[in-house]
Amino acid sequence: MKMLRFRRNGEAQWGWLVGEAHVTPLRQLDGQPAGEVFPIGDVEVLPPADPSKIVCVGRNYSEHIKEMGNSFGEDLPKEPGLFLKAPNTLAASGAQIAYPSWSSELHYEGELAVVIGQTASKVAQEEALSYVLGYTNALDLTARDKQKTDLQWIRAKSADRFLPLGPLLETEMDPASTVVRTWVNDELRQEAGTEQMIFPVSQVVSYVSSFMTLEPGDVLLTGTPSGVGPLSRGDRVRVEVEGIGAPLEVTIV
Ligand code: MG
């Protein structure tokens, strides 16, 4: 099932994709359709999330750890290294994202994103995926220069519209056996199977829930593969996780 979030007549709501070009709104996030069906062209498609928080894994693919020069000696990280992005970062597919005036090193990081469907507190890894509503494409925009020099990553990671997300949420897929790809101006820059994650999605959900209650609509970013790099004004970025059904596309302006 493919879900999406959209605004119609000023009201943001969740819905299901019907066929390829229609949507039907849901009464509640986990509820049944209200019965109406609209052409997708008649609604504004929003990021498929309604988060109180966005929790991100910073280093989850060993090849990306190497390219960033992070050294763990002979060992990989023993626990997920986390940071937060704030809800102001959300942007929809198709958005134009302004290159920040205060950075000279804006990087793309294509990722698999997880949206939570039920309140999750202290859940076991074996049950963690049952708390997930679905999966979507994410672009974790990062001011790499400020990530290196600021005390914390608030500006580097949480500037306005630094998280394009969507457009669709796939509710039935195995997050451990898909592929994340990122293109810049139609050139493939990142490609990795999610089986390469150091911490699989089930472990990340369980780990975060061990100290922080995850609420419906919250987002987890699962880390980026190797191949990150700088963007310039005018670049078109596309992220597509296999199985989601539609790519995330934005332009840097
Ligand atoms: Mg990232």
Side-chain angles (χ1 to χ4, degrees), residues 53-102:
K53 54 199 168 294
I54 300 159
V55 185
C56 313
V57 183
R59 294 175 287 244
N60 206 15
Y61 291 83
S62 56
E63 291 300 312
H64 175 59
I65 293 176
K66 285 184 198 162
E67 77 178 349
M68 295 302 290
N70 297 116
S71 173
F72 291 87
E74 295 296 309
D75 301 323
L76 292 170
K78 293 190 169 46
E79 293 184 312
L82 303 179
F83 63 92
L84 291 170
K85 286 172 92 94
N88 66 300
T89 57
L90 287 174
S93 186
Q96 297 199 332
I97 312 288
Y99 197 114
S101 59
W102 40 264

mmCIF file of all heavy atoms in Angstrom, residues 53-102:
data_model
loop_
_atom_site.group_PDB
_atom_site.id
_atom_site.type_symbol
_atom_site.label_atom_id
_atom_site.label_comp_id
_atom_site.label_asym_id
_atom_site.label_seq_id
_atom_site.Cartn_x
_atom_site.Cartn_y
_atom_site.Cartn_z
ATOM 1 N N LYS A 53 9.597 14.938 16.043
ATOM 2 C CA LYS A 53 11.067 14.898 16.005
ATOM 3 C C LYS A 53 11.515 14.011 14.858
ATOM 4 O O LYS A 53 10.777 13.137 14.396
ATOM 5 C CB LYS A 53 11.637 14.379 17.322
ATOM 6 C CG LYS A 53 11.056 13.041 17.718
ATOM 7 C CD LYS A 53 11.249 12.757 19.187
ATOM 8 C CE LYS A 53 10.439 11.581 19.682
ATOM 9 N NZ LYS A 53 8.971 11.774 19.657
ATOM 10 N N ILE A 54 12.739 14.261 14.408
ATOM 11 C CA ILE A 54 13.343 13.509 13.306
ATOM 12 C C ILE A 54 14.695 13.033 13.828
ATOM 13 O O ILE A 54 15.586 13.847 14.107
ATOM 14 C CB ILE A 54 13.510 14.408 12.060
ATOM 15 C CG1 ILE A 54 12.123 14.930 11.608
ATOM 16 C CG2 ILE A 54 14.230 13.657 10.943
ATOM 17 C CD1 ILE A 54 12.177 16.171 10.749
ATOM 18 N N VAL A 55 14.821 11.734 14.033
ATOM 19 C CA VAL A 55 16.021 11.165 14.647
ATOM 20 C C VAL A 55 16.850 10.503 13.545
ATOM 21 O O VAL A 55 16.331 9.709 12.761
ATOM 22 C CB VAL A 55 15.653 10.131 15.730
ATOM 23 C CG1 VAL A 55 16.905 9.650 16.448
ATOM 24 C CG2 VAL A 55 14.659 10.719 16.719
ATOM 25 N N CYS A 56 18.145 10.845 13.511
ATOM 26 C CA CYS A 56 18.982 10.456 12.375
ATOM 27 C C CYS A 56 20.203 9.676 12.845
ATOM 28 O O CYS A 56 20.836 10.039 13.839
ATOM 29 C CB CYS A 56 19.473 11.696 11.643
ATOM 30 S SG CYS A 56 18.176 12.922 11.313
ATOM 31 N N VAL A 57 20.539 8.635 12.083
ATOM 32 C CA VAL A 57 21.779 7.901 12.327
ATOM 33 C C VAL A 57 22.876 8.555 11.502
ATOM 34 O O VAL A 57 22.725 8.767 10.303
ATOM 35 C CB VAL A 57 21.644 6.414 11.937
ATOM 36 C CG1 VAL A 57 22.931 5.660 12.267
ATOM 37 C CG2 VAL A 57 20.457 5.784 12.637
ATOM 38 N N GLY A 58 23.980 8.894 12.159
ATOM 39 C CA GLY A 58 25.043 9.629 11.480
ATOM 40 C C GLY A 58 26.002 8.754 10.708
ATOM 41 O O GLY A 58 26.542 9.173 9.693
ATOM 42 N N ARG A 59 26.252 7.552 11.167
ATOM 43 C CA ARG A 59 27.247 6.693 10.509
ATOM 44 C C ARG A 59 26.700 5.274 10.515
ATOM 45 O O ARG A 59 26.791 4.590 11.528
ATOM 46 C CB ARG A 59 28.579 6.745 11.257
ATOM 47 C CG ARG A 59 29.253 8.103 11.203
ATOM 48 C CD ARG A 59 30.491 8.130 12.066
ATOM 49 N NE ARG A 59 30.130 8.162 13.472
ATOM 50 C CZ ARG A 59 30.413 9.175 14.299
ATOM 51 N NH1 ARG A 59 31.084 10.196 13.863
ATOM 52 N NH2 ARG A 59 30.052 9.127 15.552
ATOM 53 N N ASN A 60 26.158 4.858 9.373
ATOM 54 C CA ASN A 60 25.526 3.544 9.356
ATOM 55 C C ASN A 60 25.979 2.681 8.191
ATOM 56 O O ASN A 60 25.466 1.580 8.017
ATOM 57 C CB ASN A 60 23.997 3.689 9.361
ATOM 58 C CG ASN A 60 23.307 2.494 9.966
ATOM 59 O OD1 ASN A 60 23.941 1.675 10.625
ATOM 60 N ND2 ASN A 60 22.018 2.381 9.746
ATOM 61 N N TYR A 61 26.894 3.208 7.354
ATOM 62 C CA TYR A 61 27.468 2.408 6.261
ATOM 63 C C TYR A 61 28.982 2.552 6.388
ATOM 64 O O TYR A 61 29.506 3.676 6.412
ATOM 65 C CB TYR A 61 27.032 2.934 4.898
ATOM 66 C CG TYR A 61 25.567 2.755 4.547
ATOM 67 C CD1 TYR A 61 24.597 3.659 4.996
ATOM 68 C CD2 TYR A 61 25.154 1.696 3.727
ATOM 69 C CE1 TYR A 61 23.262 3.518 4.654
ATOM 70 C CE2 TYR A 61 23.814 1.550 3.365
ATOM 71 C CZ TYR A 61 22.879 2.462 3.833
ATOM 72 O OH TYR A 61 21.564 2.324 3.486
ATOM 73 N N SER A 62 29.693 1.439 6.458
ATOM 74 C CA SER A 62 31.130 1.503 6.740
ATOM 75 C C SER A 62 31.901 2.255 5.658
ATOM 76 O O SER A 62 32.879 2.949 5.954
ATOM 77 C CB SER A 62 31.700 0.099 6.935
ATOM 78 O OG SER A 62 31.425 -0.696 5.821
ATOM 79 N N GLU A 63 31.461 2.167 4.387
ATOM 80 C CA GLU A 63 32.180 2.888 3.325
ATOM 81 C C GLU A 63 32.039 4.405 3.501
ATOM 82 O O GLU A 63 32.950 5.163 3.163
ATOM 83 C CB GLU A 63 31.665 2.463 1.948
ATOM 84 C CG GLU A 63 32.012 1.030 1.573
ATOM 85 C CD GLU A 63 33.522 0.783 1.548
ATOM 86 O OE1 GLU A 63 34.238 1.605 0.948
ATOM 87 O OE2 GLU A 63 33.957 -0.215 2.143
ATOM 88 N N HIS A 64 30.884 4.849 4.026
ATOM 89 C CA HIS A 64 30.704 6.291 4.285
ATOM 90 C C HIS A 64 31.570 6.723 5.473
ATOM 91 O O HIS A 64 32.130 7.822 5.468
ATOM 92 C CB HIS A 64 29.232 6.597 4.553
ATOM 93 C CG HIS A 64 28.965 8.029 4.944
ATOM 94 N ND1 HIS A 64 29.285 9.098 4.127
ATOM 95 C CD2 HIS A 64 28.417 8.569 6.063
ATOM 96 C CE1 HIS A 64 28.938 10.226 4.735
ATOM 97 N NE2 HIS A 64 28.409 9.937 5.906
ATOM 98 N N ILE A 65 31.709 5.863 6.475
ATOM 99 C CA ILE A 65 32.583 6.187 7.615
ATOM 100 C C ILE A 65 34.006 6.416 7.116
ATOM 101 O O ILE A 65 34.679 7.379 7.489
ATOM 102 C CB ILE A 65 32.547 5.050 8.661
ATOM 103 C CG1 ILE A 65 31.154 4.977 9.300
ATOM 104 C CG2 ILE A 65 33.610 5.273 9.732
ATOM 105 C CD1 ILE A 65 30.970 3.834 10.272
ATOM 106 N N LYS A 66 34.440 5.558 6.198
ATOM 107 C CA LYS A 66 35.813 5.708 5.661
ATOM 108 C C LYS A 66 35.965 7.020 4.906
ATOM 109 O O LYS A 66 36.963 7.731 5.057
ATOM 110 C CB LYS A 66 36.129 4.533 4.727
ATOM 111 C CG LYS A 66 36.407 3.229 5.443
ATOM 112 C CD LYS A 66 36.798 2.153 4.425
ATOM 113 C CE LYS A 66 36.647 0.772 5.036
ATOM 114 N NZ LYS A 66 36.602 -0.281 4.010
ATOM 115 N N GLU A 67 34.979 7.352 4.052
ATOM 116 C CA GLU A 67 35.142 8.557 3.236
ATOM 117 C C GLU A 67 35.103 9.825 4.094
ATOM 118 O O GLU A 67 35.639 10.850 3.718
ATOM 119 C CB GLU A 67 34.105 8.617 2.112
ATOM 120 C CG GLU A 67 32.723 9.021 2.556
ATOM 121 C CD GLU A 67 31.713 9.120 1.403
ATOM 122 O OE1 GLU A 67 32.114 9.088 0.234
ATOM 123 O OE2 GLU A 67 30.515 9.231 1.714
ATOM 124 N N MET A 68 34.431 9.749 5.273
ATOM 125 C CA MET A 68 34.374 10.917 6.151
ATOM 126 C C MET A 68 35.612 11.009 7.042
ATOM 127 O O MET A 68 35.775 11.965 7.791
ATOM 128 C CB MET A 68 33.131 10.852 7.039
ATOM 129 C CG MET A 68 31.821 10.934 6.271
ATOM 130 S SD MET A 68 31.674 12.436 5.281
ATOM 131 C CE MET A 68 31.487 13.644 6.587
ATOM 132 N N GLY A 69 36.458 9.988 6.990
ATOM 133 C CA GLY A 69 37.674 10.031 7.785
ATOM 134 C C GLY A 69 37.434 9.774 9.254
ATOM 135 O O GLY A 69 38.293 10.051 10.094
ATOM 136 N N ASN A 70 36.234 9.237 9.593
ATOM 137 C CA ASN A 70 35.960 8.912 10.996
ATOM 138 C C ASN A 70 36.645 7.597 11.320
ATOM 139 O O ASN A 70 36.442 6.600 10.655
ATOM 140 C CB ASN A 70 34.456 8.758 11.235
ATOM 141 C CG ASN A 70 33.705 10.048 10.981
ATOM 142 O OD1 ASN A 70 32.894 10.118 10.079
ATOM 143 N ND2 ASN A 70 33.998 11.067 11.754
ATOM 144 N N SER A 71 37.438 7.616 12.343
ATOM 145 C CA SER A 71 38.178 6.409 12.662
ATOM 146 C C SER A 71 37.629 5.748 13.911
ATOM 147 O O SER A 71 37.417 6.389 14.933
ATOM 148 C CB SER A 71 39.656 6.745 12.897
ATOM 149 O OG SER A 71 40.321 5.592 13.361
ATOM 150 N N PHE A 72 37.343 4.488 13.808
ATOM 151 C CA PHE A 72 36.967 3.704 14.976
ATOM 152 C C PHE A 72 38.022 2.627 15.219
ATOM 153 O O PHE A 72 37.748 1.589 15.792
ATOM 154 C CB PHE A 72 35.595 3.050 14.771
ATOM 155 C CG PHE A 72 34.474 4.044 14.745
ATOM 156 C CD1 PHE A 72 34.103 4.661 13.561
ATOM 157 C CD2 PHE A 72 33.816 4.393 15.906
ATOM 158 C CE1 PHE A 72 33.077 5.589 13.533
ATOM 159 C CE2 PHE A 72 32.789 5.321 15.893
ATOM 160 C CZ PHE A 72 32.425 5.920 14.706
ATOM 161 N N GLY A 73 39.224 2.879 14.720
ATOM 162 C CA GLY A 73 40.252 1.864 14.828
ATOM 163 C C GLY A 73 39.840 0.649 14.018
ATOM 164 O O GLY A 73 39.391 0.761 12.894
ATOM 165 N N GLU A 74 39.992 -0.496 14.624
ATOM 166 C CA GLU A 74 39.608 -1.730 13.935
ATOM 167 C C GLU A 74 38.108 -1.967 14.020
ATOM 168 O O GLU A 74 37.574 -2.830 13.342
ATOM 169 C CB GLU A 74 40.338 -2.928 14.571
ATOM 170 C CG GLU A 74 41.849 -2.879 14.401
ATOM 171 C CD GLU A 74 42.259 -2.969 12.948
ATOM 172 O OE1 GLU A 74 41.794 -3.890 12.255
ATOM 173 O OE2 GLU A 74 43.031 -2.097 12.502
ATOM 174 N N ASP A 75 37.444 -1.199 14.888
ATOM 175 C CA ASP A 75 36.053 -1.511 15.193
ATOM 176 C C ASP A 75 35.093 -0.532 14.532
ATOM 177 O O ASP A 75 35.402 0.634 14.349
ATOM 178 C CB ASP A 75 35.813 -1.455 16.705
ATOM 179 C CG ASP A 75 36.703 -2.439 17.446
ATOM 180 O OD1 ASP A 75 36.925 -3.529 16.904
ATOM 181 O OD2 ASP A 75 37.175 -2.080 18.547
ATOM 182 N N LEU A 76 33.911 -1.020 14.227
ATOM 183 C CA LEU A 76 32.816 -0.163 13.796
ATOM 184 C C LEU A 76 32.112 0.346 15.052
ATOM 185 O O LEU A 76 32.307 -0.188 16.145
ATOM 186 C CB LEU A 76 31.861 -0.980 12.926
ATOM 187 C CG LEU A 76 32.467 -1.398 11.576
ATOM 188 C CD1 LEU A 76 31.571 -2.403 10.868
ATOM 189 C CD2 LEU A 76 32.717 -0.183 10.698
ATOM 190 N N PRO A 77 31.274 1.410 14.918
ATOM 191 C CA PRO A 77 30.560 1.898 16.104
ATOM 192 C C PRO A 77 29.735 0.786 16.747
ATOM 193 O O PRO A 77 29.162 -0.046 16.064
ATOM 194 C CB PRO A 77 29.671 3.013 15.558
ATOM 195 C CG PRO A 77 29.738 2.920 14.075
ATOM 196 C CD PRO A 77 30.969 2.189 13.716
ATOM 197 N N LYS A 78 29.682 0.797 18.074
ATOM 198 C CA LYS A 78 28.972 -0.260 18.798
ATOM 199 C C LYS A 78 27.509 0.093 19.040
ATOM 200 O O LYS A 78 26.686 -0.776 19.315
ATOM 201 C CB LYS A 78 29.675 -0.538 20.127
ATOM 202 C CG LYS A 78 31.059 -1.151 19.903
ATOM 203 C CD LYS A 78 31.686 -1.651 21.177
ATOM 204 C CE LYS A 78 32.927 -2.483 20.910
ATOM 205 N NZ LYS A 78 33.868 -1.894 19.940
ATOM 206 N N GLU A 79 27.186 1.388 18.981
ATOM 207 C CA GLU A 79 25.806 1.845 19.109
ATOM 208 C C GLU A 79 25.584 2.874 18.010
ATOM 209 O O GLU A 79 26.536 3.542 17.577
ATOM 210 C CB GLU A 79 25.571 2.511 20.472
ATOM 211 C CG GLU A 79 25.673 1.563 21.642
ATOM 212 C CD GLU A 79 25.328 2.265 22.954
ATOM 213 O OE1 GLU A 79 25.860 3.362 23.179
ATOM 214 O OE2 GLU A 79 24.522 1.706 23.713
ATOM 215 N N PRO A 80 24.331 3.045 17.565
ATOM 216 C CA PRO A 80 24.080 4.067 16.537
ATOM 217 C C PRO A 80 24.458 5.458 17.047
ATOM 218 O O PRO A 80 24.125 5.818 18.175
ATOM 219 C CB PRO A 80 22.561 3.963 16.314
ATOM 220 C CG PRO A 80 22.172 2.609 16.803
ATOM 221 C CD PRO A 80 23.119 2.293 17.933
ATOM 222 N N GLY A 81 25.185 6.227 16.239
ATOM 223 C CA GLY A 81 25.498 7.620 16.567
ATOM 224 C C GLY A 81 24.374 8.489 16.037
ATOM 225 O O GLY A 81 24.142 8.549 14.831
ATOM 226 N N LEU A 82 23.662 9.163 16.924
ATOM 227 C CA LEU A 82 22.426 9.861 16.545
ATOM 228 C C LEU A 82 22.576 11.372 16.584
ATOM 229 O O LEU A 82 23.378 11.913 17.334
ATOM 230 C CB LEU A 82 21.284 9.466 17.497
ATOM 231 C CG LEU A 82 20.953 7.984 17.594
ATOM 232 C CD1 LEU A 82 19.821 7.788 18.609
ATOM 233 C CD2 LEU A 82 20.561 7.409 16.247
ATOM 234 N N PHE A 83 21.770 12.026 15.760
ATOM 235 C CA PHE A 83 21.569 13.476 15.883
ATOM 236 C C PHE A 83 20.119 13.757 15.499
ATOM 237 O O PHE A 83 19.419 12.866 15.004
ATOM 238 C CB PHE A 83 22.556 14.255 15.002
ATOM 239 C CG PHE A 83 22.411 13.998 13.525
ATOM 240 C CD1 PHE A 83 21.597 14.797 12.736
ATOM 241 C CD2 PHE A 83 23.098 12.947 12.916
ATOM 242 C CE1 PHE A 83 21.462 14.549 11.370
ATOM 243 C CE2 PHE A 83 22.966 12.698 11.545
ATOM 244 C CZ PHE A 83 22.149 13.499 10.780
ATOM 245 N N LEU A 84 19.656 14.967 15.746
ATOM 246 C CA LEU A 84 18.274 15.348 15.444
ATOM 247 C C LEU A 84 18.229 16.343 14.297
ATOM 248 O O LEU A 84 19.124 17.171 14.138
ATOM 249 C CB LEU A 84 17.616 16.005 16.668
ATOM 250 C CG LEU A 84 17.327 15.110 17.859
ATOM 251 C CD1 LEU A 84 16.919 15.975 19.064
ATOM 252 C CD2 LEU A 84 16.210 14.120 17.545
ATOM 253 N N LYS A 85 17.161 16.245 13.505
ATOM 254 C CA LYS A 85 16.763 17.345 12.646
ATOM 255 C C LYS A 85 15.400 17.810 13.161
ATOM 256 O O LYS A 85 14.641 17.016 13.717
ATOM 257 C CB LYS A 85 16.663 16.902 11.176
ATOM 258 C CG LYS A 85 18.018 16.695 10.509
ATOM 259 C CD LYS A 85 17.915 16.079 9.134
ATOM 260 C CE LYS A 85 17.840 17.087 8.006
ATOM 261 N NZ LYS A 85 19.156 17.409 7.398
ATOM 262 N N ALA A 86 15.097 19.086 13.014
ATOM 263 C CA ALA A 86 13.832 19.630 13.529
ATOM 264 C C ALA A 86 12.771 19.618 12.421
ATOM 265 O O ALA A 86 13.101 19.554 11.238
ATOM 266 C CB ALA A 86 14.062 21.046 14.051
ATOM 267 N N PRO A 87 11.481 19.676 12.797
ATOM 268 C CA PRO A 87 10.414 19.607 11.782
ATOM 269 C C PRO A 87 10.440 20.732 10.746
ATOM 270 O O PRO A 87 9.873 20.570 9.669
ATOM 271 C CB PRO A 87 9.127 19.654 12.623
ATOM 272 C CG PRO A 87 9.523 19.047 13.929
ATOM 273 C CD PRO A 87 10.938 19.540 14.165
ATOM 274 N N ASN A 88 11.091 21.860 11.048
ATOM 275 C CA ASN A 88 11.180 22.941 10.054
ATOM 276 C C ASN A 88 11.996 22.545 8.828
ATOM 277 O O ASN A 88 11.998 23.246 7.818
ATOM 278 C CB ASN A 88 11.828 24.184 10.682
ATOM 279 C CG ASN A 88 13.278 23.935 11.042
ATOM 280 O OD1 ASN A 88 13.577 23.044 11.847
ATOM 281 N ND2 ASN A 88 14.192 24.674 10.428
ATOM 282 N N THR A 89 12.701 21.409 8.899
ATOM 283 C CA THR A 89 13.541 20.987 7.769
ATOM 284 C C THR A 89 12.730 20.348 6.641
ATOM 285 O O THR A 89 13.242 20.203 5.534
ATOM 286 C CB THR A 89 14.598 19.958 8.226
ATOM 287 O OG1 THR A 89 13.937 18.842 8.835
ATOM 288 C CG2 THR A 89 15.588 20.566 9.188
ATOM 289 N N LEU A 90 11.486 19.957 6.913
ATOM 290 C CA LEU A 90 10.733 19.201 5.908
ATOM 291 C C LEU A 90 10.451 20.029 4.663
ATOM 292 O O LEU A 90 10.126 21.217 4.736
ATOM 293 C CB LEU A 90 9.417 18.701 6.499
ATOM 294 C CG LEU A 90 9.550 17.545 7.485
ATOM 295 C CD1 LEU A 90 8.182 17.238 8.101
ATOM 296 C CD2 LEU A 90 10.129 16.303 6.815
ATOM 297 N N ALA A 91 10.583 19.363 3.510
ATOM 298 C CA ALA A 91 10.217 19.953 2.221
ATOM 299 C C ALA A 91 9.654 18.837 1.355
ATOM 300 O O ALA A 91 10.008 17.664 1.529
ATOM 301 C CB ALA A 91 11.427 20.601 1.547
ATOM 302 N N ALA A 92 8.770 19.191 0.442
ATOM 303 C CA ALA A 92 8.112 18.184 -0.403
ATOM 304 C C ALA A 92 8.935 17.917 -1.653
ATOM 305 O O ALA A 92 9.739 18.749 -2.088
ATOM 306 C CB ALA A 92 6.720 18.658 -0.789
ATOM 307 N N SER A 93 8.699 16.766 -2.246
ATOM 308 C CA SER A 93 9.295 16.481 -3.545
ATOM 309 C C SER A 93 8.838 17.539 -4.535
ATOM 310 O O SER A 93 7.685 17.967 -4.518
ATOM 311 C CB SER A 93 8.874 15.092 -4.032
ATOM 312 O OG SER A 93 9.556 14.765 -5.220
ATOM 313 N N GLY A 94 9.768 17.955 -5.394
ATOM 314 C CA GLY A 94 9.479 19.024 -6.346
ATOM 315 C C GLY A 94 9.897 20.396 -5.856
ATOM 316 O O GLY A 94 9.851 21.368 -6.610
ATOM 317 N N ALA A 95 10.326 20.473 -4.583
ATOM 318 C CA ALA A 95 10.661 21.781 -3.996
ATOM 319 C C ALA A 95 11.922 22.375 -4.624
ATOM 320 O O ALA A 95 12.797 21.656 -5.120
ATOM 321 C CB ALA A 95 10.857 21.636 -2.488
ATOM 322 N N GLN A 96 11.994 23.676 -4.571
ATOM 323 C CA GLN A 96 13.225 24.390 -4.863
ATOM 324 C C GLN A 96 13.828 24.773 -3.514
ATOM 325 O O GLN A 96 13.163 25.410 -2.697
ATOM 326 C CB GLN A 96 12.955 25.624 -5.708
ATOM 327 C CG GLN A 96 12.363 25.266 -7.076
ATOM 328 C CD GLN A 96 12.495 26.376 -8.083
ATOM 329 O OE1 GLN A 96 12.533 27.550 -7.703
ATOM 330 N NE2 GLN A 96 12.569 26.026 -9.343
ATOM 331 N N ILE A 97 15.069 24.353 -3.292
ATOM 332 C CA ILE A 97 15.719 24.566 -1.999
ATOM 333 C C ILE A 97 16.798 25.628 -2.179
ATOM 334 O O ILE A 97 17.691 25.469 -3.015
ATOM 335 C CB ILE A 97 16.382 23.261 -1.492
ATOM 336 C CG1 ILE A 97 15.419 22.076 -1.593
ATOM 337 C CG2 ILE A 97 16.932 23.462 -0.084
ATOM 338 C CD1 ILE A 97 14.299 22.059 -0.619
ATOM 339 N N ALA A 98 16.722 26.679 -1.373
ATOM 340 C CA ALA A 98 17.698 27.765 -1.493
ATOM 341 C C ALA A 98 19.051 27.334 -0.924
ATOM 342 O O ALA A 98 19.127 26.846 0.211
ATOM 343 C CB ALA A 98 17.188 28.999 -0.763
ATOM 344 N N TYR A 99 20.107 27.520 -1.714
ATOM 345 C CA TYR A 99 21.476 27.287 -1.212
ATOM 346 C C TYR A 99 21.733 28.320 -0.117
ATOM 347 O O TYR A 99 21.592 29.519 -0.346
ATOM 348 C CB TYR A 99 22.474 27.439 -2.354
ATOM 349 C CG TYR A 99 23.833 26.837 -2.078
ATOM 350 C CD1 TYR A 99 24.287 25.750 -2.806
ATOM 351 C CD2 TYR A 99 24.673 27.354 -1.079
ATOM 352 C CE1 TYR A 99 25.531 25.183 -2.564
ATOM 353 C CE2 TYR A 99 25.900 26.795 -0.812
ATOM 354 C CZ TYR A 99 26.333 25.716 -1.561
ATOM 355 O OH TYR A 99 27.563 25.151 -1.299
ATOM 356 N N PRO A 100 22.099 27.899 1.088
ATOM 357 C CA PRO A 100 22.225 28.888 2.172
ATOM 358 C C PRO A 100 23.358 29.876 1.912
ATOM 359 O O PRO A 100 24.438 29.503 1.459
ATOM 360 C CB PRO A 100 22.514 28.039 3.410
ATOM 361 C CG PRO A 100 22.850 26.682 2.927
ATOM 362 C CD PRO A 100 22.347 26.521 1.532
ATOM 363 N N SER A 101 23.099 31.144 2.227
ATOM 364 C CA SER A 101 24.094 32.189 1.992
ATOM 365 C C SER A 101 25.307 32.020 2.898
ATOM 366 O O SER A 101 26.394 32.503 2.594
ATOM 367 C CB SER A 101 23.453 33.563 2.248
ATOM 368 O OG SER A 101 22.989 33.621 3.589
ATOM 369 N N TRP A 102 25.126 31.304 4.034
ATOM 370 C CA TRP A 102 26.159 31.207 5.068
ATOM 371 C C TRP A 102 27.001 29.935 4.960
ATOM 372 O O TRP A 102 27.817 29.657 5.822
ATOM 373 C CB TRP A 102 25.517 31.289 6.453
ATOM 374 C CG TRP A 102 24.227 30.525 6.552
ATOM 375 C CD1 TRP A 102 22.965 31.029 6.407
ATOM 376 C CD2 TRP A 102 24.067 29.116 6.761
ATOM 377 N NE1 TRP A 102 22.041 30.021 6.519
ATOM 378 C CE2 TRP A 102 22.681 28.845 6.741
ATOM 379 C CE3 TRP A 102 24.948 28.053 6.958
ATOM 380 C CZ2 TRP A 102 22.165 27.560 6.914
ATOM 381 C CZ3 TRP A 102 24.438 26.778 7.131
ATOM 382 C CH2 TRP A 102 23.058 26.550 7.099
#
